């Protein structure tokens, strides 16, 4: 019986979140293998970039194929360097990616199956970003209805900006790597209803050398963006839980236009305790151009600012976030894929799960 059928409504909704990281994604395969061997299953698997490709194979319960793939593929099994004709199309705007990703598409067609994905024990979500509508979306396995659509979604989610060409989905948009906005799609998992999240972070080794090619330059820039995205995901969980604990954003009666108020019961007693007193987020006094005395009253700014209730649409359950990341600094970059390094990363991810899974947020 599948995970989806056996999980009780009172149990936490468990999600595995797989981040982007290019060739370092082999670490995620080791993590997934260790979890499966110990009968630790997930209601949702959410991935972006290489994490989306790993999520597809984990979701269709093909862990042996996932491991085998990582042990044999090289960079040229994923992309080809541009030939003169390709470069000419890039220069004249006929091609929006520097590298040729035909090998990646061929690889996906050989190992990804929509039928097996839908029959798998977990639901799967893929994160991708549309450059036309400026939106990031989670596309779930339930929303995909053909093998071609599945390949398009995976190619879009893994389309590293500037390096890999974007993809249109159902003939629309210009969809690229979801890691540009959510490299560790923790927020996406929360939006899908997850209350217990296991996020795999694949951080690169610190380097002291400067990039020497355009591909290295783009890769290094994206590393910075992806790292910031991962940190934002962790911060989102803390904010989510804090909103629930404090009671949300409320109007204040003393002129401060944005306060976090204590949550009290019907008798006026503080449910949270004295340690979590109300905290000013922003005060009218910080604005100096609203009057002769340098202060803005709430009446003068309420037309310029819209008060947002942070509890609206928020899952009314605390979220537990568990982080697993390499115990040691790891080698490799977005574009480096080598079976020797992949074997080491697989082993490292497997052993890290056995040895430690750090609770980041409770």
């Amino acid at each position: 019986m599948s995970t989806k059928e056996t999980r009780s409504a009172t149990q936490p909704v468990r999600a595995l979140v797989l981040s982007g990281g290019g060739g370092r994604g082999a670490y995620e395969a080791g993590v997934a293998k260790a979890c499966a061997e110990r009968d630790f299953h997930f209601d949702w698997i959410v991935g972006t970039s290489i994490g989306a490709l790993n999520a597809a194979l984990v979701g269709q319960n093909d862990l042996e194929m996932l491991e085998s793939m990582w042990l044999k593929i090289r960079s040229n099994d994923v992309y080809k360097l541009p030939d003169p004709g390709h470069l000419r199309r890039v220069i004249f705007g006929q091609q929006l990616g520097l590298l040729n990703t035909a090998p990646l598409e061929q690889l996906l067609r050989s190992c990804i199956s929509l039928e097996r994905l839908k029959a798998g024990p977990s639901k799967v979500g893929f994160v991708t970003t549309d450059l036309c509508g400026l939106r990031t979306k989670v596309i779930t396995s339930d929303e995909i209805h053909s093998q071609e659509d599945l390949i398009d979604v995976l190619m879009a989610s893994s389309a590293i900006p500037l390096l890999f060409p974007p993809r249109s989905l159902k003939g629309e948009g210009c969809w690229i790597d979801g890691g540009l906005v959510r490299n560790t799609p923790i927020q996406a998992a929360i939006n899908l209803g997850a209350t217990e999240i296991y996020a795999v972070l694949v951080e690169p080794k610190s380097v002291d050398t400067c990039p020497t090619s355009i591909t290295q330059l783009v890769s290094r820039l994206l590393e910075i963006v992806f790292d910031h995205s991962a940190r934002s995901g962790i911060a989102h969980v803390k904010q989510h839980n804090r909103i629930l604990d404090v009671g949300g954003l409320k109007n204040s009666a003393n002129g401060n236009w944005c306060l976090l108020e204590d949550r009290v019961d019907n008798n006026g007693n503080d449910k949270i305790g004295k340690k979590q007193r109300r905290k000013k987020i922003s005060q009218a006094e910080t604005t100096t151009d609203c009057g002769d005395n340098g202060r803005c009253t709430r009446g003068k700014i309420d037309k310029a600012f819209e008060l947002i209730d942070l509890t609206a649409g928020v899952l009314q359950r605390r979220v537990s976030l568990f982080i697993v990341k390499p115990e040691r600094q790891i080698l490799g970059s977005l574009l480096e894929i080598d079976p020797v390094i992949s074997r080491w990363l697989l082993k490292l991810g497997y052993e890290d799960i056995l040895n430690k899974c750090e609770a980041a947020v409770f």
Side-chain angles (χ1 to χ4, degrees):
M1 188 175 293
S2 73
T3 303
K4 292 176 281 189
E5 294 171 334
T6 57
R7 302 282 291 182
S8 166
T10 60
Q11 290 180 297
V13 179
R14 188 181 292 162
L16 176 65
V17 171
L18 302 177
S19 60
R24 299 189 299 272
Y27 179 88
E28 298 175 341
V31 169
K33 178 182 178 181
C35 291
E37 285 185 0
R38 278 141 191 82
D39 202 29
F40 194 80
H41 301 293
F42 302 92
D43 300 283
W44 279 98
I45 304 170
V46 185
T48 188
S49 196
I50 191 60
L53 309 188
N54 285 335
L57 282 166
V58 175
Q60 65 186 42
N61 209 24
D62 278 334
L63 291 174
E64 289 185 7
M65 181 183 292
L66 177 63
E67 182 176 7
S68 175
M69 180 191 74
W70 276 109
L71 291 176
K72 68 180 182 182
I73 64 170
R74 297 179 179 273
S75 298
N76 58 10
D77 295 310
V78 175
Y79 64 87
K80 292 180 180 179
L81 295 176
D83 56 32
H86 185 98
L87 281 176
R88 186 166 53 251
R89 291 191 295 273
V90 170
I91 292 172
F92 289 101
Q94 299 169 328
Q95 182 75 39
L96 297 181
L98 182 63
L99 303 175
N100 183 344
T101 55
L104 174 59
E105 183 168 349
Q106 183 179 355
L107 177 65
L108 292 178
R109 292 185 184 279
S110 69
C111 63
I112 301 295
S113 166
L114 180 61
E115 182 179 358
R116 294 201 302 273
L117 183 66
K118 287 183 175 291
S122 307
K123 290 186 177 182
V124 184
F126 309 107
V127 182
T128 181
T129 297
D130 180 22
L131 294 179
C132 297
L134 299 180
R135 61 189 176 120
T136 297
K137 182 179 180 181
V138 182
I139 300 175
T140 68
S141 49
D142 290 339
E143 299 175 274
I144 302 173
H145 303 295
S146 72
Q147 180 73 11
E148 288 301 314
D149 286 346
L150 176 58
I151 298 299
D152 283 341
V153 168
L154 291 175
M155 290 295 291
S157 184
S158 59
I160 302 172
L162 300 179
L163 298 179
F164 289 6
R167 200 81 167 194
S168 63
L169 299 181
K170 296 183 178 179
E172 298 181 351
C174 183
W175 298 85
I176 62 167
D177 192 333
L180 189 65
V181 178
R182 298 177 187 172
N183 192 50
T184 305
I186 294 170
Q187 181 179 347
I190 294 176
N191 293 342
L192 290 170
T195 57
E196 189 175 288
I197 298 173
Y198 296 79
V200 185
L201 305 184
V202 188
E203 299 176 347
K205 181 179 177 63
S206 299
V207 294
D208 296 322
T209 59
C210 297
T212 57
S213 68
I214 185 63
T215 54
Q216 289 182 7
L217 176 63
V218 174
S219 178
R220 196 70 60 81
L221 289 172
L222 291 173
E223 295 282 12
I224 296 172
V225 173
F226 291 166
D227 178 68
H228 176 74
S229 174
R231 296 175 188 273
S232 296
I234 296 172
H236 180 81
V237 175
K238 295 180 179 179
Q239 181 187 32
H240 172 93
N241 289 338
R242 185 166 179 265
I243 290 171
L244 294 183
D245 287 344
V246 177
L249 190 62
K250 299 182 180 180
N251 289 292
S252 129
N254 64 0
N256 295 326
W257 64 275
C258 184
L259 293 178
L260 283 174
E261 296 284 357
D262 291 333
R263 186 168 55 199
V264 296
D265 60 22
N266 294 333
N267 297 321
N269 298 318
D270 189 352
K271 288 183 178 180
I272 298 173
K274 295 182 179 179
K275 291 184 178 181
Q276 289 184 327
R277 310 315 303 172
R278 58 187 174 183
K279 182 179 179 181
K280 296 180 181 180
I281 300 300
S282 178
Q283 296 182 328
E285 295 94 291
T286 61
T287 306
T288 59
D289 58 352
C290 295
D292 295 336
N293 61 359
R295 293 188 178 185
C296 280
T297 65
R298 180 176 161 195
K300 290 184 178 179
I301 67 172
D302 59 4
K303 292 182 180 180
F305 292 87
E306 179 184 1
L307 185 64
I308 304 297
D309 182 2
L310 295 180
T311 60
V314 173
L315 177 69
Q316 297 299 309
R317 295 175 64 183
R318 287 179 59 83
V319 173
S320 297
L321 173 63
F322 299 86
I323 299 294
V324 60
K325 57 184 179 180
E327 290 292 318
R328 289 164 281 176
Q329 287 280 11
I330 59 177
L331 300 172
S333 72
L334 290 173
L335 299 177
E336 295 177 34
I337 304 175
D338 180 87
V340 175
I341 296 177
S342 295
R343 182 182 296 275
W344 178 72
L345 288 171
L346 274 160
K347 184 174 182 290
L348 185 62
Y350 183 86
E351 292 176 346
D352 281 352
I353 282 294
L354 303 187
N355 298 331
K356 181 181 179 182
C357 186
E358 177 183 357
V361 180
F362 293 94

